[in-house]
Amino acid sequence: MVIQENIALAPLTTLNVGGPARFFAEAHSEHDVQQAVAYAAARHLPLFVLGGGSNLVIADEGWPGLVLKVALRGVEFEGDREKMLFYAGAGEDWDSLVALAVGKNCAGIECLSGIPGTVGGTPIQNVGAYGQEVSQTITSVRALEIASGAIMELSNADCGFAYRTSKLMRDQYIVLQVAYLLHRNGGPIIEYADLKKFFAAQPLSSPPTLQQARDAVRSIRQSKAMLIVPGDEDCRSAGSFFKNPLVSEAEADRIQALAQKRVPDKPLPRYPGENGKVKLAAAWLVEQSGFYKGYSRGPVGISRKHALAIVNRGGATAKDILALKEEIQHKVFDIWGVSLHPEPVFVGFKET
């Protein structure tokens, strides 16, 4: 394993902002990961693990310690007529794994098509979209415990999955491999409103296949600039920047009543959430606070296709990104009394 110095990190992210890594290593094996962790520990260097770079904001100062890019590859599978287990290395491209599963007619992750990044990032934030979450299919995560250097198998319960989070976010582990249990010859999940609209507009003679569902999801994501397309400025983002807020029923009723007064022609979208909570649409709150699609604030702005994507229009700094983030959060809270929490990981910042 080679340790490099002063490596630019911005090109390794989809947002394309941030400073360099003081030290940088790329791990292609579990042994490489162990070596990198030991190197950082021996020199008392802060350690950051980098995957696909699709859901993070790196500070302009960069990272003062070691950035470890996990590039463990390989996919294996086993199963019977009804189910199949896919074991994927943390460095595998996520969308390629989804394509492989769909190609083998295995259901469970088809609605997660087109999400940028690597396999290793999916359990950390319990990646989800269009009615599916990876926590519904993950059976185990092979990970290295940073404190001890030991490699262990974490069960689904061990991971502590919740909405867009897990216990793996506590920086105690480095994901090495993830196992997904999928259903052979199963049908796709067509529950999300956008998917229902898509197939209503393009009726089929029979229920959608997994491949048709995958194609539909990728098409919808592209229409919202949530599919990485080279040269498309609106794709220069960290994906959805804010989580959909989870509030109490009473709080949702308060916000809905306020919405009926302020924007009577714009109904508040609300959906059933976890533990009896109500999930509100962060994109609606952002737009109804004055941050329309295409909004610009110098070198940063809002995607022309999706109100939740903060984009780098060219030459933006991390400081610019944070300034717009905070402007949006303050305005949404002032108008609606709702706190928006960011979805990306912030790297190298003293305060976020």
Side-chain angles (χ1 to χ4, degrees):
M1 184 189 62
V2 178
I3 302 291
Q4 298 175 278
E5 297 188 43
N6 300 315
I7 298 300
L9 295 175
L12 302 179
T13 72
T14 55
L15 189 53
N16 199 26
V17 301
R22 178 65 185 87
F23 298 98
F24 180 89
E26 188 167 295
H28 296 275
S29 69
E30 292 184 352
H31 181 63
D32 285 348
V33 175
Q34 290 174 314
Q35 278 191 309
V37 170
Y39 180 92
R43 292 160 180 79
H44 305 288
L45 297 172
L47 176 68
F48 176 71
V49 180
L50 177 66
S54 61
N55 197 40
L56 74 160
V57 183
I58 297 175
D60 296 318
E61 295 76 16
W63 184 252
L66 174 66
V67 169
L68 172 61
K69 182 170 176 59
V70 175
L72 279 68
R73 306 298 296 272
V75 179
E76 299 178 354
F77 38 87
E78 62 182 32
D80 53 30
R81 293 182 179 181
E82 295 184 354
K83 298 178 181 179
M84 185 171 284
L85 264 171
F86 285 73
Y87 300 92
E92 284 289 332
D93 176 72
W94 170 253
D95 194 49
S96 296
L97 177 66
V98 178
L100 176 65
V102 168
K104 291 186 173 297
N105 205 26
C106 291
I109 55 176
E110 64 281 351
C111 292
L112 305 180
S113 294
I115 294 177
T118 55
V119 163
T122 62
I124 294 173
Q125 289 193 310
N126 187 17
V127 166
Y130 299 100
Q132 288 181 332
E133 292 183 337
V134 291
S135 58
Q136 297 167 333
T137 59
I138 290 176
T139 60
S140 65
V141 173
R142 184 172 172 83
L144 180 141
E145 185 179 47
I146 296 174
S148 66
I151 293 176
M152 55 189 63
E153 297 284 335
L154 303 174
S155 68
N156 184 291
D158 292 334
C159 292
F161 291 117
Y163 177 64
R164 299 297 173 272
T165 189
S166 73
K167 290 182 179 178
L168 297 168
M169 288 192 76
R170 298 175 184 172
D171 297 327
Q172 296 174 323
Y173 302 97
I174 297 175
V175 176
L176 305 172
Q177 184 188 68
V178 186
Y180 305 87
L181 182 62
L182 308 181
H183 296 273
R184 302 190 73 173
N185 304 313
I189 300 297
I190 310 295
E191 294 182 352
Y192 206 78
D194 284 353
L195 274 175
K196 289 181 178 179
K197 289 177 184 177
F198 183 93
F199 286 112
Q202 302 181 36
L204 303 172
S205 57
S206 57
T209 64
L210 291 176
Q211 185 62 54
Q212 287 169 329
R214 169 172 162 77
D215 293 342
V217 168
R218 287 177 57 86
S219 177
I220 294 168
R221 291 186 67 87
Q222 185 167 1
S223 73
K224 297 180 178 182
M226 289 293 172
L227 191 71
I228 300 298
V229 177
D232 186 347
E233 174 192 295
D234 284 320
C235 293
R236 200 182 298 136
S237 76
S240 293
F241 211 92
F242 299 104
K243 301 176 184 179
N244 290 321
L246 288 170
V247 301
S248 66
E249 191 82 35
E251 183 70 354
D253 290 342
R254 178 193 67 78
I255 298 164
Q256 184 167 357
L258 181 58
Q260 289 170 347
K261 292 179 180 179
R262 290 185 61 92
V263 284
D265 59 330
K266 302 284 186 180
L268 171 71
R270 50 188 290 179
Y271 312 95
E274 296 176 349
N275 303 317
K277 295 288 187 75
V278 177
K279 183 188 295 184
L280 303 181
W284 186 95
L285 292 165
V286 169
E287 288 194 271
Q288 305 317 315
S289 299
F291 300 97
Y292 52 87
K293 297 184 183 78
Y295 174 92
S296 288
R297 192 182 193 274
V300 299
I302 302 293
S303 167
R304 298 177 183 88
K305 300 175 181 177
H306 198 298
L308 280 189
I310 294 179
V311 298
N312 175 0
R313 298 210 183 284
T317 64
K319 185 178 179 181
D320 295 327
I321 300 294
L322 257 64
L324 179 54
K325 158 196 170 285
E326 290 168 3
E327 182 183 353
I328 293 171
Q329 287 174 307
H330 291 154
K331 194 73 174 291
V332 169
F333 187 80
D334 287 346
I335 294 174
W336 303 104
V338 177
S339 296
L340 288 183
H341 298 286
E343 194 164 316
V345 175
F346 292 85
V347 181
F349 294 90
K350 293 180 180 178
E351 294 182 10
T352 56

